[in-house]
Amino acid sequence: VQLQASGGGLVQAGESLRLSCAASGRSVSALNMAWFRQAPGKDREFVAAIRQSMSRTLYLDSVKGRFTISRDSSKNMVYLQMNNLRFEDTAVYYCAARNNWLVGVSTWSSSAVDYWGKGTQVTVSS
């Protein structure tokens, strides 16, 4: 499985961005897809996940109501729509996938990921 994230950029606080993740090797419907992020000097943290073949989603508390993860199986793509961005959302965002679903946000650690893509930088100016 290969994952390629794109769509990052520099925006002002309150603006929106949509990140895209192109998958190859397996269908995104057969994988549990996720987004992580890593800010400078901090550990990589879980942001959002969407369950394979289902619409169930999980979100980090601080992004609930602002971020939306979605999947387009026909294009084999996963998206992260980020609205009302904040300075603290500044980070490198990574697309990730796992073969088996994890039921809680706290269980989605970096070590639990089976496949990683390269990151895309999101910078939010205050």
Side-chain angles (χ1 to χ4, degrees):
V1 176
Q2 293 187 331
L3 306 172
Q4 180 63 56
S6 62
L10 172 62
V11 296
Q12 293 187 335
E15 295 184 339
S16 299
L17 272 178
R18 189 178 80 156
L19 304 183
S20 300
C21 175
S24 60
R26 282 181 69 185
S27 168
V28 294
S29 293
L31 291 164
N32 300 288
M33 302 300 299
W35 288 93
F36 283 70
R37 68 186 181 187
Q38 188 166 19
K42 295 187 177 180
D43 292 335
R44 194 171 297 187
E45 68 174 353
F46 169 84
V47 175
I50 185 166
R51 190 168 183 174
Q52 65 187 94
S53 302
M54 298 175 66
S55 59
R56 178 173 172 80
T57 55
L58 286 174
Y59 293 96
L60 180 67
D61 279 349
S62 63
V63 308
K64 281 183 182 177
R66 300 188 299 121
F67 290 13
T68 303
I69 187 171
S70 62
R71 174 178 53 220
D72 186 336
S73 299
S74 67
K75 297 180 180 179
N76 219 31
M77 298 282 291
V78 174
Y79 304 100
L80 185 68
Q81 177 66 45
M82 305 185 295
N83 298 329
N84 192 20
L85 282 160
R86 303 169 180 170
F87 174 76
E88 53 266 34
D89 294 319
T90 295
V92 177
Y93 283 71
Y94 296 89
C95 181
R98 180 178 163 80
N99 292 313
N100 299 311
W101 181 248
L102 295 170
V103 298
V105 171
S106 63
T107 61
W108 279 88
S109 64
S110 296
S111 60
V113 170
D114 293 319
Y115 309 103
W116 286 106
K118 292 183 179 179
T120 184
Q121 176 72 46
V122 172
T123 303
V124 184
S125 61
S126 57

